[in-house]
Amino acid sequence: MSLKKVVILFSGEGSNLENLIATLHQKTFGTTTIEVVAAITNKPTAKGIEKANKYGVDSIILDHTEFDSREAFDTKLVETIQNLEVELTVMAGFMRILTPIFTNNIQAINIHPSLLPLFKGASALERSFESDMQVAGVSVHEVITEVDGGKIIAQKCFDKSEMDFATFKAKIHQTEHEIFPEAVIKVLQTI
């Protein structure tokens, strides 16, 4: 049996944060027990703070507006994560472009609402929906300096041809909730 510690980074509502905590926190998969030791947000008013608290997971607030630069923020973020002594950092709607200060020092994975390498960056959900592709989906990838450019860990797709945007968005979120915990387990079992 091995204990693997995780920290989750988020910026908003925290639906993926809550799903990850509910699915993974203090649970055992094979010989790996997972503990979510903390959640870190860059937004003091993020709704995910309440969701983490509901499960007894402390939230750490690092308000990015209080830092002079991306590099200064990332330096504090890296220091905070390293002090937690986690095996993996999981980005669940953490809306920050990270510098090499982060990407060179922290092993992290991220979820993205498109089939990478298509529709990298912001507005991926809308761009994926508006494309003439018949399928859409979700990707989990390693975090590197290039936005949404890291190695793909997991993907899942679905037929979007008959969907309106509200249905499409709901299906993306449902797919994220299915694939993300599985990807976290997969990565932790290789560390």
Side-chain angles (χ1 to χ4, degrees):
M1 227 30 123
S2 66
L3 177 66
K4 301 292 173 94
K5 297 182 199 171
V6 171
V7 63
I8 302 172
L9 278 52
F10 70 101
S11 294
E13 293 294 321
S15 69
N16 273 311
L17 165 81
E18 182 173 25
N19 179 59
L20 288 168
I21 295 171
T23 306
L24 302 176
H25 184 51
Q26 297 179 336
K27 297 199 169 77
T28 302
F29 305 89
T31 59
T32 303
T33 300
I34 299 172
E35 180 182 351
V36 179
V37 296
I40 300 175
T41 184
N42 62 315
K43 303 250 177 152
T45 59
K47 295 218 169 35
I49 295 169
E50 295 170 25
K51 292 175 180 166
N53 289 344
K54 181 170 83 172
Y55 292 91
V57 174
D58 291 334
S59 293
I60 299 167
I61 300 168
L62 294 178
D63 185 346
H64 67 273
T65 64
E66 295 179 359
F67 294 84
D68 293 335
S69 66
R70 284 190 186 280
E71 291 77 13
F73 174 81
D74 283 5
T75 299
K76 182 63 176 177
L77 181 59
V78 166
E79 176 188 308
T80 303
I81 292 168
Q82 288 175 338
N83 286 339
L84 293 170
E85 298 181 353
V86 297
E87 277 74 31
L88 184 65
T89 299
V90 180
M91 295 173 57
F94 189 63
M95 306 309 290
R96 297 283 301 160
I97 294 174
L98 297 161
T99 68
I101 292 168
F102 181 93
T103 58
N104 292 340
N105 291 290
I106 300 295
Q107 181 176 2
I109 63 173
N110 183 41
I111 191 136
H112 187 73
S114 79
L115 293 172
L116 292 172
L118 300 172
F119 313 116
K120 292 180 181 181
S123 305
L125 188 76
E126 293 79 6
R127 290 183 292 137
S128 176
F129 175 74
E130 292 164 2
S131 80
D132 60 0
M133 292 179 60
Q134 296 296 300
V135 295
V138 171
S139 303
V140 179
H141 63 92
E142 293 177 356
V143 175
I144 63 171
T145 305
E146 178 191 342
V147 173
D148 300 324
K151 178 183 169 200
I152 295 169
I153 296 161
Q155 287 183 311
K156 189 168 186 179
C157 66
F158 57 86
D159 184 329
K160 68 165 192 162
S161 56
E162 301 296 321
M163 293 183 177
D164 63 17
F165 184 69
T167 305
F168 174 78
K169 187 175 179 181
K171 182 66 175 176
I172 287 284
H173 290 311
Q174 175 193 338
T175 306
E176 288 177 338
H177 290 182
E178 292 167 6
I179 192 175
F180 210 6
E182 294 170 2
V184 171
I185 294 164
K186 178 181 174 181
V187 171
L188 287 173
Q189 289 177 334
T190 65
I191 295 176

